[in-house]
Amino acid sequence: RRCGGAASRAGRALTRVATVVSVNKVSYMIVLFIFCEQIESLYPHPGWVELDPEVLWSQFIGAVKEAVQVAGLQMRQIAGLGISTQRSTFITWHKRTGKPFHNFISWQDLRCAELVNSWNRSLLLKVIHVIFTVLHFLTGNDRYLAPSSFTFSTKQASLKLSWVFKNIHEAEEAAKKNNCCFGTIDTWLLYRLTKGSVYATDYSNASSTGIFEPFTKCWNPTLSRLLSIPMSIYPPVKDTSFNFGSSDSEIFGVPIPILALVADQQAAMFGECCFHPGDVKLTMGTGAFWNVNTGGNFFSSWRGLYPLIGWKIGEEVVYLTEGSIPNTGTAIKWAQEINLFTSVDETAKMARSIADSQGVYFVPSFQVSVNDPYLCACFMGLKPSTTRNHLVRAILESVAFRNKQLYDIIVKRVHIPLRSIRADGGVSNNSFVMQMTSDLINKKIEKPIIADMSSLGAAFLAGLASGLWTDKEQLKKLRQIETVFEPQKDSEEYKPAMDAWTQAMQRALHW
């Protein structure tokens, strides 16, 4: 089941499942775009964002069954599942009973925003930076790079998980008795699918939590002690393309092997076939994510960039550097909800119908290089002559400006020649945003036929584990490019507008 562009899914949890299907002894890959689209976020307190685990589970199972039925298949024909999920949204539950101690706490949740700011300004964190910077200088060992520039973020699970053990007594007591399990959505789904017999995650999901050390490839004991998080709660970490076990036969009528777990952005990277160092993936959905394949090279965090494990398959470990921009599709969806336009498809035409935004600038609720959860979203430069077209153009321009801002940081920090840039996600269907981004960064951008590459990445990984494909070279041959956006205007032509937009951003900080 598809629910349309990513902008229409803002504030909802997404789980994508790809299935390997065996028909008449011949294997086919059927990518079922299964979005648990009706899982609305819960807001129990201002800034809190949660998901009901039982609603997620029931709709996940229902979506799988419906998709298989609509495809005209039987469950016995399914040779395996690949699951791509939202990252850093987590839950804890009782190991023996399987009962959750709380709802899923979303990556968008801001209950620890004050704590994040406090830690990032703390003397202790500054001392840690100095110690590990000196250790890296003296030893040259790259394992000291990450802690030398580590900062907390509201998107990470670390401080929110610490909050759980300080505020939920049942979880704290269970952890003392080694009866508490922690998991992101993939871990919890795997646990439920196998009725508790398999408890694990993969390297891509683990490295996205902020608690897993990507260089040493293990849960971070130092950070866990610092935040009073018991080490006993963490799941074992397995390869991304791997036979995790089979679903219990009572769920789908037959046992189905689960052959891949992968975080959504890393799945999109794999689906785009960004297999070589220097390959760049730009996903523009609810947020925008720039990922650079750095191969076996590990780059430390720096001004909005952070290292992740892209995937681990056997002995191969691929690192990524990621930068993210929240509220890309969210801002476009909001504009639609207040009736600035009827259909997302008409926004590019609206933006092109005028020469410029007439000095109107849209400030999103976050900026790339300033970790300020209190940035105020607003329009600036409004005039009596401002029309809907000007407002829509200002929103779309803000997406392209932020892409340019983050791209410049990547070029400055990641000392690897960038080979190709491939875009996906619902907002990549907007030709105005894509063309302006291409102009601003002065690079061509490829857009594939399939906009949701996370599903395809999960399919590819499951297919490799099942033996449907034997290597990544076979996957490259399956790529289909719909459009290539090439620079048409000199980036300097945008400089006055981008300078004014940057000034508007500065005025909206620390609201």
Side-chain angles (χ1 to χ4, degrees), residues 357 359 361 397 401 436 440 490-504:
S357 64
Y361 300 99
E397 285 182 344
F401 287 149
M436 187 172 173
L440 284 167
D490 192 319
S491 61
E492 286 299 309
E493 294 183 39
Y494 295 98
K495 191 176 187 306
M498 186 163 181
D499 287 346
W501 173 81
T502 303
Q503 185 180 10

Side-chain angles (χ1 to χ4, degrees), residues 94-330:
H94 197 284
K95 184 183 295 184
R96 184 168 48 83
T97 67
K99 182 181 178 181
F101 294 118
H102 52 85
N103 286 332
F104 275 103
I105 298 177
S106 170
W107 67 274
Q108 297 170 308
D109 188 282
L110 296 175
R111 71 187 66 192
C112 292
E114 291 285 358
L115 194 56
V116 166
N117 287 336
S118 176
W119 265 102
N120 287 342
R121 293 193 304 262
S122 69
L123 178 62
L124 177 57
L125 194 60
K126 289 181 174 63
V127 170
I128 290 172
H129 288 170
V130 171
I131 290 172
F132 283 97
T133 298
V134 172
L135 285 172
H136 180 254
F137 176 77
L138 294 176
T139 65
N141 193 327
D142 285 346
R143 68 173 297 177
Y144 299 124
L145 273 174
S148 70
S149 58
F150 175 82
T151 56
F152 289 97
S153 165
T154 56
K155 292 180 288 187
Q156 297 169 343
S158 52
L159 286 173
K160 286 177 278 194
L161 183 56
S162 178
W163 180 93
V164 165
F165 291 111
K166 291 176 181 176
N167 292 273
I168 300 178
H169 178 70
E170 294 85 353
E172 180 187 20
E173 288 301 307
K176 289 178 181 178
K177 300 175 183 178
N178 291 334
N179 277 328
C180 181
C181 295
F182 157 81
T184 44
I185 295 177
D186 62 297
T187 302
W188 188 77
L189 286 177
L190 178 65
Y191 190 85
R192 290 291 299 265
L193 284 168
T194 60
K195 291 200 171 179
S197 65
V198 182
Y199 176 49
T201 187
D202 92 296
Y203 284 90
S204 69
N205 279 291
S207 71
S208 302
T209 61
I211 321 168
F212 190 83
E213 218 294 311
F215 186 80
T216 58
K217 296 185 284 295
C218 64
W219 298 106
N220 192 323
T222 304
L223 182 61
S224 297
R225 284 194 296 270
L226 197 63
L227 301 180
S228 301
I229 301 172
M231 287 293 292
S232 62
I233 69 167
Y234 298 126
V237 185
K238 306 294 185 181
D239 283 9
T240 307
S241 179
F242 179 77
N243 191 334
F244 287 86
S246 296
S247 64
D248 188 276
S249 58
E250 290 184 4
I251 296 174
F252 296 121
V254 293
I256 299 176
I258 301 157
L259 300 177
L261 298 181
V262 58
D264 54 4
Q265 296 308 317
Q266 288 94 318
M269 190 84 171
F270 204 88
E272 289 273 28
C273 296
C274 292
F275 300 143
H276 303 285
D279 284 345
V280 180
K281 183 272 301 175
L282 166 58
T283 295
M284 291 187 289
T286 303
F289 295 85
W290 286 78
N291 295 90
V292 183
N293 184 326
T294 60
N297 297 312
F298 178 88
F299 286 84
S300 62
S301 303
W302 188 81
R303 291 190 63 194
L305 301 181
Y306 41 91
L308 294 172
I309 294 177
W311 53 83
K312 182 178 183 296
I313 305 175
E315 296 300 314
E316 179 194 44
V317 180
V318 172
Y319 289 102
L320 310 179
T321 290
E322 179 174 283
S324 64
I325 306 168
N327 306 312
T328 300
T330 306

